[in-house]
C-alpha cells in the first residue's frame, strides 16, 4: 500500500505557515510529511528559508505524522556530529516518527561557511563517512573519529530515541543511487524513474522504502497555475549540474530568465483537473515508489488541501 504525503517547502513559507500547513495536511488525509532543508531559497521570489530543526520541533507537537527531511546535507554547513545530535533529539521528541533524509547538497546552501565546493566524487566520500559517523553516534557510545574528512574527539549523545532514526539517501545519479542502496535505510528522489528504483534495489535496497516527491499547482484557472509555477519554480526547467554548483539565488534567477513556461511546468500537474494530478502521482507508484509526496506551489494552500482531500487522494488510493 503506497503512502501519500505532503511536501513542505521551506523555500516558500515561513515557520508558522509551515506548521499550519502540516496540520492542514493531516486533516486532509495525507499520511506523512517531507520538509526541505535550505539556508537560501532558490530564488529571492520564493522568499523564505527558516531553520528546519526548529520547524520540525513545532510540527512534531502539532501533528502525529511521520516527518522526513528531503534532504539535509551533513557535509559542510553543518557537521555530521551536529546533525546526529539534532536527529537523535528529534527522533526522541517524535517517538520514532522522524527519518533523516540526506544528500550531497548544493553550493547554494553549503558555501556560506566554506567557499570551496568539493566535486561530486569528494562529496560522495564525505557523505559515506558522515553516515557511518552518525550511526556510530546513534549507539550512545563515546566516539573518537579520525577520518579523511571529519575529526571527532570524545563525543557522546546522551539523549537518544528508543531506536535510531533511519537514514535515507537521495540519489540523483548512478553513483548516489548505488550509495543509497548500499548504505541507506531508504531512497529519496524527485523523478518518477523506474530504472533508478531498480538500480537502488539492485545495489542493496531490496526491502527498503523508496520515496518520491513532486511539485503541483492547484488553481481553478490552469493558465494562472502555470504562471505561478513559472514565477516561483522556473528552476525546475534548469538542467544539468547548475543546481549543485551555483552559490546564490541571483545566479538561479539569471538562468531562470532562459526557462520557458513549458519547461518550468513540465512534470508538474497544474490546474483544476483531478485526473491530471492523480496521473502524475500514479507515475511514481508505477515506477515502484513506496511513498509519494506532493508539494503545492504558491499561496493557495487551503484550496489545494480541500481539492486533494475530495478529488485526488481518493483516486490514487
Amino acid at each position: 500500500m503506497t503512502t501519500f504525503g505532503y511536501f513542505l517547502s521551506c523555500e516558500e513559507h515561513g515557520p508558522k505557515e509551515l506548521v499550519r500547513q502540516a496540520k492542514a495536511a493531516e486533516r486532509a488525509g495525507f499520511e506523512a510529511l517531507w520538509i526541505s532543508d535550505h539556508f537560501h531559497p532558490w530564488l529571492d521570489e520564493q522568499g523564505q528559508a527558516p531553520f528546519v530543526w526548529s520547524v520540525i520541533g513545532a510540527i512534531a507537537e502539532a501533528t502525529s505524522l511521520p516527518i522526513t527531511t528531503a534532504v539535509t546535507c551533513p557535509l559542510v554547513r553543518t557537521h555530521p556530529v551536529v546533525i546526529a545530535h539534532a536527529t537523535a533529539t528529534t527522533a526522541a521528541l517524535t517517538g520514532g516518527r522522524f527519518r533523516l533524509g540526506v544528500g550531497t547538497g548544493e553550493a547554494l546552501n553549503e558555501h556560506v561557511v566554506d567557499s570551496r565546493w568539493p566535486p561530486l566524487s569528494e562529496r560522495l566520500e564525505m557523505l559515506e563517512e558522515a553516515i557511518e559517523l552518525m550511526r556510530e553516534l546513534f549507539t550512545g557510545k563515546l566516539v573518537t573519529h579520525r577520518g579523511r574528512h571529519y575529526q571527532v574527539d570524545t563525543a557522546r549523545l546522551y539523549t537518544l530515541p528508543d531506536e535510531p532514526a533511519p537514514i535515507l539517501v537521495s540519489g540523483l545519479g548512478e553513483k548516489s543511487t548505488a550509495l543509497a542502496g548500499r548504505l541507506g535505510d531508504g531512497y529519496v528522489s524527485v523523478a518518477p524513474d523506474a530504472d533508478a528504483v531498480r538500480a537502488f534495489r539492485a545495489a542493496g535496497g531490496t526491502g527498503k522504502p523508496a520515496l518520491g516527491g513532486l511539485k503541483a499547482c492547484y488553481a481553478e484557472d490552469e493558465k494562472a497555475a502555470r504562471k505561478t509555477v513559472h514565477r516561483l519554480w522556473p528552476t525546475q526547467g534548469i538542467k544539468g549540474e547548475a543546481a549543485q554548483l551555483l552559490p546564490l539565488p541571483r545566479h538561479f534567477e539569471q538562468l531562470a530568465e532562459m526557462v520557458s513556461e513549458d519547461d518550468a511546468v513540465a512534470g508538474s500537474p497544474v490546474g483544476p483537473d483531478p485526473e491530471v494530478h492523480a496521473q502524475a502521482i500514479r507515475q511514481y507508484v508505477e515506477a515502484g515508489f513506496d511513498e509519494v509526496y506532493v508539494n503545492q506551489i504558491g499561496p493557495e494552500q487551503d484550496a489545494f488541501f480541500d481539492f486533494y482531500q475530495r478529488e485526488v487522494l481518493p483516486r490514487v488510493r
Side-chain angles (χ1 to χ4, degrees):
M1 184 73 71
T2 307
T3 295
F4 298 103
Y6 187 66
F7 186 177
L8 296 159
S9 174
C10 282
E11 299 92 331
E12 277 192 66
H13 304 287
K16 290 185 178 180
E17 173 61 15
L18 290 167
V19 175
R20 192 191 74 81
Q21 289 176 19
K23 293 191 288 187
E26 185 169 32
R27 289 195 300 270
F30 286 97
E31 302 161 286
L33 298 169
W34 263 14
I35 187 166
S36 56
D37 180 356
H38 270 238
F39 189 87
H40 291 142
W42 296 99
L43 307 171
D44 285 343
E45 181 70 21
Q46 293 171 347
Q48 294 287 340
F51 186 59
V52 73
W53 298 101
S54 301
V55 180
I56 292 172
I59 290 171
E61 289 299 288
T63 81
S64 63
L65 298 180
I67 307 162
T68 304
T69 54
V71 290
T72 293
C73 178
L75 306 187
V76 179
R77 170 171 51 109
T78 315
H79 195 284
V81 165
V82 178
I83 297 297
H85 192 189
T87 297
T89 297
T90 303
L93 178 67
T94 60
R97 289 184 287 124
F98 179 71
R99 296 176 298 185
L100 176 67
V102 298
T104 55
E106 305 92 13
L108 176 71
N109 301 302
E110 306 306 311
H111 84 277
V112 295
V113 297
D114 188 348
S115 61
R116 176 186 176 268
W117 183 233
L120 178 60
S121 59
E122 185 175 343
R123 299 201 315 272
L124 286 167
E125 283 183 2
M126 295 170 75
L127 183 60
E128 183 164 350
E129 185 176 336
I131 290 171
E132 293 171 351
L133 174 56
M134 290 189 291
R135 285 198 172 125
E136 191 174 2
L137 286 161
F138 290 163
T139 65
K141 297 177 181 177
L142 193 68
V143 174
T144 294
H145 176 86
R146 298 287 181 262
R148 179 172 181 179
H149 300 286
Y150 301 107
Q151 308 294 311
V152 179
D153 181 54
T154 55
R156 178 184 173 189
L157 295 180
Y158 281 81
T159 298
L160 294 164
D162 293 336
E163 297 290 336
I167 300 176
L168 284 61
V169 179
S170 171
L172 300 178
E174 183 179 330
K175 292 180 180 179
S176 57
T177 299
L179 190 149
R182 180 166 54 86
L183 284 184
D185 297 312
Y187 173 59
V188 175
S189 178
V190 289
D193 187 339
D195 289 338
V197 175
R198 283 191 289 269
F200 163 69
R201 305 281 186 217
T206 300
K208 302 174 184 177
L211 285 64
L214 69 152
K215 291 189 174 294
C217 188
Y218 166 75
E220 292 186 4
D221 184 334
E222 182 179 341
K223 289 183 179 179
R226 291 175 62 87
K227 290 184 182 302
T228 297
V229 174
H230 193 215
R231 176 173 63 86
L232 288 171
W233 287 91
T235 48
Q236 293 191 124
I238 297 174
K239 309 300 181 185
E241 297 180 68
Q244 284 75 51
L245 300 179
L246 298 179
L248 290 173
R250 72 166 184 262
H251 299 138
F252 287 94
E253 288 163 5
Q254 292 161 9
L255 278 186
E257 291 177 359
M258 297 180 280
V259 175
S260 69
E261 186 178 282
D262 285 344
D263 286 341
V265 172
S268 288
V270 297
D273 185 343
E275 190 55 34
V276 169
H277 291 256
Q279 186 53 39
I281 293 170
R282 289 189 195 109
Q283 290 180 26
Y284 283 81
V285 177
E286 292 164 3
F289 285 91
D290 304 289
E291 303 178 21
V292 184
Y293 294 80
V294 185
N295 168 250
Q296 163 72 359
I297 294 173
E300 294 192 48
Q301 297 293 320
D302 293 332
F304 166 87
F305 288 122
D306 180 64
F307 172 64
Y308 264 63
Q309 182 177 24
R310 289 185 295 102
E311 302 286 352
V312 180
L313 292 179
R315 275 178 162 81
V316 296
R317 285 190 169 125

